[in-house]
Amino acid sequence: QVAKANALSEKKQLQQQQESLEHRLQEVSRESEAATQKLSEELRSEQQAAIRDRSSLTAELKACEEERQRRSQQASEELQQERANWEEQQATLEVQRQELESTLREKVSTLSEERGSLEWRVEELSQARKQELHQVEEL
């Protein structure tokens, strides 16, 4: 009889534990359902924000690409203009160099002629002096 009472008591205790566990399972299921729904809503909200961000970033990227192309075109045009100016300047400098070279050759030629003339005049004066000295000695 004691064993029967113990068995009944144990059966009752197990039934209470089972009911408690089933109750807890229902609570956990409700909490899980609520958490799943909350996470689903958060995910949907984040997805919508990501779509808005993506659209915004796409528009910004397009604007940046257009600006990059505009600046690249402008830089290319400026570089072409600078190159044309440089080439024109080089041509002008080459003409000036040739003119200076020609002028310098002319001056060198003139100076060379003057030097020859002066050397001849110095020689002439030297001969005249020698003659004068010779005449002075004779006197």
Side-chain angles (χ1 to χ4, degrees):
Q1 201 140 5
V2 174
K4 193 175 181 183
N6 282 342
L8 281 176
S9 173
E10 194 175 319
K11 184 179 177 186
K12 195 175 184 182
Q13 196 176 13
L14 286 173
Q15 246 180 344
Q16 287 175 345
Q17 283 179 350
Q18 184 179 0
E19 287 173 7
S20 175
L21 287 173
E22 284 175 358
H23 179 67
R24 179 68 184 132
L25 179 60
Q26 287 175 353
E27 281 181 22
V28 167
S29 290
R30 280 192 299 274
E31 289 173 3
S32 174
E33 177 88 24
T36 301
Q37 188 173 355
K38 183 179 178 186
L39 286 175
S40 180
E41 289 171 6
E42 287 177 1
L43 179 60
R44 210 175 2 261
S45 175
E46 286 181 13
Q47 284 175 335
Q48 289 171 349
I51 289 169
R52 283 190 304 272
D53 287 349
R54 181 173 182 219
S55 295
S56 173
L57 289 173
T58 300
E60 191 176 333
L61 179 62
K62 183 179 178 187
C64 286
E65 178 61 20
E66 289 171 355
E67 178 66 10
R68 185 197 64 77
Q69 287 179 355
R70 185 189 68 74
R71 286 184 181 182
S72 176
Q73 179 66 28
Q74 182 180 1
S76 177
E77 290 169 2
E78 288 173 0
L79 184 61
Q80 286 176 343
Q81 184 59 47
E82 285 180 22
R83 180 177 208 102
N85 292 346
W86 181 83
E87 288 174 352
E88 183 180 331
Q89 189 177 34
Q90 291 304 308
T92 301
L93 288 172
E94 178 60 21
V95 167
Q96 288 175 349
R97 185 193 66 76
Q98 289 175 358
E99 288 172 355
L100 286 172
E101 199 173 82
S102 175
T103 302
L104 185 60
R105 271 195 225 103
E106 288 173 15
K107 285 186 178 182
V108 165
S109 176
T110 301
L111 289 173
S112 182
E113 288 174 10
E114 286 179 13
R115 182 178 176 193
S117 175
L118 288 173
E119 286 175 348
W120 178 79
R121 182 72 179 131
V122 165
E123 182 61 33
E124 195 176 67
L125 289 174
S126 176
Q127 290 300 327
R129 186 167 179 233
K130 284 180 185 176
Q131 243 181 355
E132 284 178 9
L133 283 175
H134 186 62
Q135 286 175 354
V136 167
E137 286 177 2
E138 286 181 358
L139 291 175

